[in-house]
Amino acid sequence: MAVRKMAEGVEWVGSIDWSRRLFDELIPLPSGTSYNAYLVRGKGKTALVDTVDPTKVDELMVNLARAGVKRLDYVVVNHAEQDHAGSIPMILGRYPEAKLVTNEKCAEMLSLLLHVDKERVMQVKDLEALELGGLTLKFHLMPWVHWPETMVTYLEEEKMLFTCDFFGSHLATAALYADEEPGVLEAAKRYYAEIMMPFRSSIKGHLEQLKKLEIETIAPSHGPIWRDPSVIMDAYREWVSESLEDVVVIPYVSMHGSTEKMVEHFSNALIERGIRVKPFNLAVTDTGELAKALIGAATFVLGTPTVLFGPHPKAVYAAYLISVLKPKARYASLIGSYGWGGKTAKMVSDLVSAPEREIIPPVLVRGYPNREALKALDALADQIAERHRSDPRIRR
Ligand code: FEO
């Protein structure tokens, strides 16, 4: 439990989750996470900006008590997902006068997910402001910085932006600020890959919108706070940009060594052609690291044996993950070994196809790769190198 002062009238009252290792039963959290909640006290009214995961509600309650909060007027809800909103029913019970302040879509989701009483909700529109007495909160709707109802809240007097998931990182640390802890930008990059990458085009627009605001502090609801907003905003600009890295990501799985031999030969062939490779053995891969590698890679090549009549299930998982994360890779292909036939190429291609992505014909060989198979892999490396050399979007 801790209450940490950030500015006059502004305190961190959230919770650090040191031991959580999985989010949404999907995303590995090697370094835990945090649920940041912020108390903003004006001369007349008090607001809580976001809450915490319900497993940590006791910590939030103790923090509010230690901060001396007897009456809570508003709970600003930037996002309806349970890791931020899940404690709302308990907060509304403890502070009967508190109103939830959020946009129409978020109010609808709170009603569906948490059965929140509509009487307790005060709906706000884009750019509407809420006066607390000497401190003013202004709401900016920013859909799809994770879900369609997301918004950010700007504390005008402090030029502080509460962004919830946007600009966050899954990182449990005692450091309140990003500049107090090494590795926060890497954690934020991984977080972007896992959570934000599918919404790249929306985020581009939001970054433009935020240029109109003078921002001195970015306070997300996961991970440390950015006292120099340019660090994280410049990084986001790069991640959502059209520029690509001269990199081939190779997620692969091999059962008896044939596909692995192909991956090894193919990786070396690319390295010889001056291209960086990032192979990931899907049997042991941390999917967060795979997602991070995909942020800027110009190309990915999936490696899979054929199991019965199609790709190995771990390769199907990786292909599906790629299809939902929507990385900007412009080129994709497939390599692997099969025993007697199957539909591997079509099934993988159906999963990873995307507008503006060229699927380069795969190299699938029967059995353990022979000299001809290795030559075919060299030819695939040549094709990729040629595309990388002629594509002006790729930074070399
Ligand atoms: Fe941190 Fe989308 O919740």
Side-chain angles (χ1 to χ4, degrees):
M1 268 74 76
V3 175
R4 294 188 280 183
K5 185 171 175 179
M6 294 163 57
E8 208 50 57
V10 187
E11 289 145 300
W12 181 97
V13 289
S15 165
I16 304 168
D17 200 336
W18 300 95
S19 59
R20 189 164 181 178
R21 286 293 172 268
L22 200 57
F23 192 82
D24 286 349
E25 303 305 317
L26 172 68
I27 297 166
L29 302 178
S31 309
T33 190
S34 63
Y35 319 106
N36 301 332
Y38 301 97
L39 192 62
V40 184
R41 292 195 257 206
K43 291 193 179 71
K45 304 281 187 190
T46 296
L48 178 67
V49 179
D50 293 328
T51 70
V52 298
D53 190 272
T55 56
K56 296 287 184 182
V57 67
D58 290 349
E59 279 189 41
L60 175 61
M61 291 294 195
V62 170
N63 284 343
L64 291 173
R66 285 165 62 134
V69 178
K70 302 269 188 312
R71 177 192 164 94
L72 198 54
D73 298 286
Y74 306 113
V75 180
V76 174
V77 188
N78 284 317
H79 178 24
E81 193 167 9
Q82 281 81 345
D83 53 324
H84 311 290
S87 296
I88 282 172
M90 292 75 105
I91 291 285
L92 292 182
R94 167 68 183 80
Y95 297 97
E97 65 291 333
K99 289 267 190 200
L100 301 180
V101 180
T102 194
N103 61 78
E104 185 181 1
K105 195 172 277 291
C106 190
E108 182 194 338
M109 293 181 86
L110 293 175
S111 164
L112 289 168
L113 294 171
L114 300 170
H115 298 179
V116 164
D117 181 355
K118 287 189 172 69
E119 297 293 306
R120 301 291 298 270
V121 180
M122 191 175 116
Q123 283 189 24
V124 289
K125 293 195 167 24
D126 193 25
L127 304 181
E128 202 168 322
L130 182 66
E131 265 302 327
L132 303 178
L135 291 176
T136 315
L137 297 173
K138 196 163 183 182
F139 309 104
H140 297 254
L141 303 198
M142 292 210 170
W144 298 113
V145 280
H146 197 197
W147 283 8
E149 86 301 358
T150 47
M151 67 180 199
V152 300
T153 298
Y154 183 61
L155 175 57
E156 289 186 332
E157 291 76 6
E158 291 294 335
K159 302 181 174 58
M160 191 178 284
L161 190 67
F162 301 105
T163 55
C164 203
D165 279 350
F166 200 12
F167 304 122
S169 55
H170 282 312
L171 186 62
T173 167
L176 184 59
Y177 295 103
D179 52 84
E180 295 172 335
E181 171 88 20
V184 181
L185 192 58
E186 249 345 83
K189 185 175 183 182
R190 179 181 165 114
Y191 182 91
Y192 166 83
E194 295 163 332
I195 309 283
M196 296 291 162
M197 189 154 63
F199 313 113
R200 197 165 65 89
S201 57
S202 299
I203 291 171
K204 263 187 198 179
H206 298 327
L207 290 170
E208 282 303 304
Q209 206 178 325
L210 288 178
K211 280 184 182 166
K212 295 175 198 154
L213 285 181
E214 204 181 328
I215 303 168
E216 288 183 357
T217 306
I218 287 182
S221 290
H222 293 293
I225 296 162
W226 301 92
R227 277 191 286 212
D228 179 356
S230 68
V231 173
I232 188 67
M233 292 179 94
D234 288 349
Y236 261 71
R237 281 192 193 98
E238 167 61 25
W239 299 334
V240 302
S241 74
E242 296 308 311
S243 86
L244 295 160
E245 294 162 8
D246 193 13
V247 166
V248 177
V249 172
I250 311 173
Y252 75 94
V253 56
S254 184
M255 295 191 297
H256 302 297
S258 300
T259 298
E260 187 157 44
K261 173 71 184 167
M262 293 178 73
V263 168
E264 187 187 296
H265 182 89
F266 179 59
S267 298
N268 288 330
L270 288 166
I271 291 169
E272 279 176 353
R273 286 156 180 77
I275 296 172
R276 279 180 291 146
V277 293
K278 294 185 180 178
F280 290 89
N281 179 349
L282 294 168
V284 293
T285 285
D286 172 338
T287 49
E289 289 303 305
L290 171 59
K292 196 168 76 169
L294 286 164
I295 291 177
T299 300
F300 64 85
V301 175
L302 201 68
T304 179
T306 292
V307 179
L308 300 177
F309 304 103
H312 189 287
K314 286 188 188 295
V316 174
Y317 179 80
Y320 181 71
L321 199 65
I322 290 170
S323 77
V324 294
L325 290 177
K326 301 187 193 313
K328 55 188 169 183
R330 290 293 183 257
Y331 310 101
S333 193
L334 169 71
I335 62 176
S337 162
Y338 65 94
W340 55 86
K343 296 179 177 166
T344 296
K346 175 159 180 15
M347 287 170 72
V348 169
S349 163
D350 285 352
L351 276 170
V352 303
S353 288
E356 295 182 41
R357 179 174 298 149
E358 180 190 354
I359 307 290
I360 302 171
V363 176
L364 295 176
V365 304
R366 194 164 182 196
Y368 193 75
N370 58 16
R371 192 179 294 180
E372 248 175 58
L374 300 182
K375 274 190 187 166
L377 290 169
D378 290 337
L380 178 60
D382 279 335
Q383 289 185 68
I384 291 171
E386 189 190 313
R387 280 159 178 79
H388 279 215
R389 275 196 297 271
S390 59
D391 192 327
R393 295 166 298 198
I394 297 178
R395 279 198 318 272
R396 300 179 60 79

